């Protein structure tokens, strides 16, 4: 069974440089790039209008942006090593604090926020994973060690129980946040991991990167339960649909794919650009049809809508 998605809108030249990361709230999309600016577009208006521009958010540019599922908080990580925390109220982002860990580039790399915006997890260039309590003065409450390899990707399970990191050495690590202990060390893809993502129910972890394969792991057992093949280039971004039925992926060659988890197969491919897709995200489902967004080296944000009846 294949699915069809139509390009519904493209915000051309949304940023002056590559868009490295996008994140969504119930009504907006936040985008970050190699420039110092963060931009926020509406996702409830069919024209996806620009609602806010935050000038000088990160002096050297921003490589990761994350939002809490409940839409109350956002976080952005800059190339200077700093992380800014943003409160979201009435659709407007306001800076509410910073996290500075050694204030060195690479000291904080990939970031993820918990569902309620209380916890932020981050990776470092030397394999450490830190968890911060945003509401308790942005204190570091957990520090996990991996095997010293650059932590290229991170995710928090929606229920807050698990932290997962993907590393440059191909390692994937799952930690139990309740006990503070390593749950699983997963070796399987050998080549650098670029993205990890927990399923909405927290039962599966998807991981992908330079091996061009999406691996699915059972979180409780650590067993690899599937390999999904189809990309011909490095995979940089993964995102689960709200129901956990579909997985979205974006790759170095500009291709975006939608995968059926039941069928373990690709059900849609889009290749509107030959430039790198750095970030992909499903939008919160508001009507009958699913929507997703992609962004990357073409400096634009493209929105896709599920074709009716597909």
């Amino acid at each position: 069974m294949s699915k069809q998605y139509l390009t519904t809108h493209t915000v051309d030249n949304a940023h002056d440089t590559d868009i490295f990361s996008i994140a969504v709230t119930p009504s907006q999309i936040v985008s970050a790039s190699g420039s110092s600016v963060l931009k926020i577009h509406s996702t409830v208006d069919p024209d996806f209008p620009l609602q806010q521009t935050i000038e000088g958010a990160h002096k050297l540019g921003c490589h990761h942006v994350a939002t809490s599922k409940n839409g109350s908080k956002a976080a952005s990580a800059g190339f200077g090593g700093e992380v800014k925390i943003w409160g979201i109220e009435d659709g407007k982002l306001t800076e509410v604090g910073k996290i500075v860990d050694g204030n060195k580039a690479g000291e904080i790399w990939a970031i993820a926020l918990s569902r309620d915006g209380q916890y932020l997890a981050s990776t470092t260039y030397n394999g450490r994973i830190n968890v911060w309590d945003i509401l308790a003065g942005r204190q570091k409450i957990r520090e996990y060690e991996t095997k010293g390899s650059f932590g290229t990707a991170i995710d928090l399970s929606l229920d807050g129980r698990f932290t997962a990191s993907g590393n440059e050495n191909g390692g994937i690590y799952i930690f139990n946040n309740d006990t503070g202990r390593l749950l699983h060390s997963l070796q399987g893809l050998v080549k650098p991991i670029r993205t990890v993502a927990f399923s909405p129910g927290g039962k599966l972890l998807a991981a992908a990167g330079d091996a061009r394969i999406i691996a699915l792991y059972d979180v409780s057992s650590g067993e690899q339960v599937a390999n999904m093949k189809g990309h011909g280039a490095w995979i940089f971004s993964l995102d689960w649909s709200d129901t956990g039925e579909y997985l979205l992926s974006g790759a170095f060659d500009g291709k975006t794919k939608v995968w059926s988890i039941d069928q373990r197969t690709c059900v849609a491919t889009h290749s509107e650009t030959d430039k790198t897709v750095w970030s992909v995200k499903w939008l919160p489902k508001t009507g009958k049809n699913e929507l997703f967004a992609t962004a990357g080296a073409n400096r634009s944000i493209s929105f896709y809508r599920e074709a009716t009846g597909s």
Side-chain angles (χ1 to χ4, degrees):
M1 182 198 78
S2 64
K3 284 171 80 71
Q4 194 174 5
Y5 294 85
L6 309 173
T7 311
T8 185
H9 190 77
T10 297
V11 181
D12 290 315
N13 298 310
H15 286 257
D16 294 335
T17 60
D18 285 28
I19 300 170
F20 292 122
S21 187
I22 54 176
V24 299
T25 73
S27 61
Q28 294 173 308
I29 187 165
V30 184
S31 55
S33 72
S35 70
S36 63
V37 175
L38 292 180
K39 292 192 176 180
I40 296 93
H41 287 81
S42 167
T43 55
V44 293
D45 187 304
D47 293 329
F48 301 93
L50 180 66
Q51 291 188 316
Q52 187 182 2
T53 301
I54 303 172
E55 302 280 355
H58 292 278
K59 195 172 166 187
L60 301 178
C62 177
H63 49 78
H64 284 88
V65 64
T67 48
S68 60
K69 186 81 173 170
N70 69 358
S72 67
K73 291 277 190 307
S76 54
F79 283 101
E82 76 290 345
V83 169
K84 291 191 175 181
I85 308 297
W86 309 87
I88 306 174
E89 204 166 327
D90 297 328
K92 191 171 165 81
L93 271 67
T94 307
E95 187 182 336
V96 294
K98 284 189 183 77
I99 291 175
V100 180
D101 192 23
N103 202 23
K104 292 190 302 226
E107 194 63 38
I108 296 179
W109 186 249
I111 55 172
L113 278 169
S114 62
R115 179 203 292 260
D116 59 1
Q118 179 166 0
Y119 301 107
L120 175 90
S122 64
T123 64
T124 68
Y125 66 91
N126 60 4
R128 284 177 294 113
I129 297 165
N130 297 311
V131 182
W132 317 78
D133 190 329
I134 302 299
L135 301 184
R138 299 180 296 284
Q139 291 179 330
K140 190 189 293 186
I141 57 168
R142 290 265 188 240
E143 185 168 318
Y144 299 128
E145 292 284 345
T146 62
K147 292 180 178 163
S149 173
F150 195 120
T152 46
I154 196 160
D155 197 23
L156 280 166
S157 62
L158 274 183
D159 61 10
R161 289 182 61 210
F162 303 109
T163 299
S165 80
N167 294 56
E168 197 172 37
N169 65 359
I172 302 159
Y173 305 93
I174 302 177
F175 293 89
N176 184 318
N177 293 331
D178 294 333
T179 64
R181 294 179 181 278
L182 177 67
L183 185 65
H184 301 295
S185 173
L186 309 169
Q187 304 295 332
L189 293 180
V190 183
K191 296 183 178 180
I193 305 297
R194 304 286 175 183
T195 176
V196 292
F198 283 105
S199 64
K203 288 186 167 35
L204 294 173
L205 179 76
D210 295 11
R212 307 174 187 188
I213 293 165
I214 300 170
L216 292 182
Y217 297 91
D218 181 290
V219 172
S220 61
S221 69
E223 182 186 351
Q224 188 171 340
V225 295
N227 264 345
M228 299 195 296
K229 299 177 182 178
H231 273 294
W234 297 352
I235 301 164
F236 281 109
S237 185
L238 295 171
D239 193 44
W240 292 83
S241 65
D242 274 349
T243 60
E245 292 174 272
Y246 298 101
L247 189 67
L248 186 61
S249 61
F252 183 73
D253 59 0
K255 286 191 170 57
T256 301
K257 289 179 179 286
V258 179
W259 305 80
S260 163
I261 298 305
D262 278 348
Q263 298 171 41
R264 307 283 204 255
T265 188
C266 176
V267 293
T269 300
H270 284 273
S271 48
E272 275 69 28
T273 175
D274 56 2
K275 295 188 173 175
T276 302
V277 175
W278 291 115
S279 193
V280 296
K281 278 282 182 282
W282 293 100
L283 302 186
K285 200 166 180 178
T286 50
K288 203 174 98 175
N289 296 340
E290 296 165 326
L291 288 97
F292 65 82
T294 68
N298 68 351
R299 306 176 182 184
S300 302
I301 305 171
S302 292
F303 297 91
Y304 297 85
R305 183 185 300 279
E306 184 184 10
T308 308
S310 69

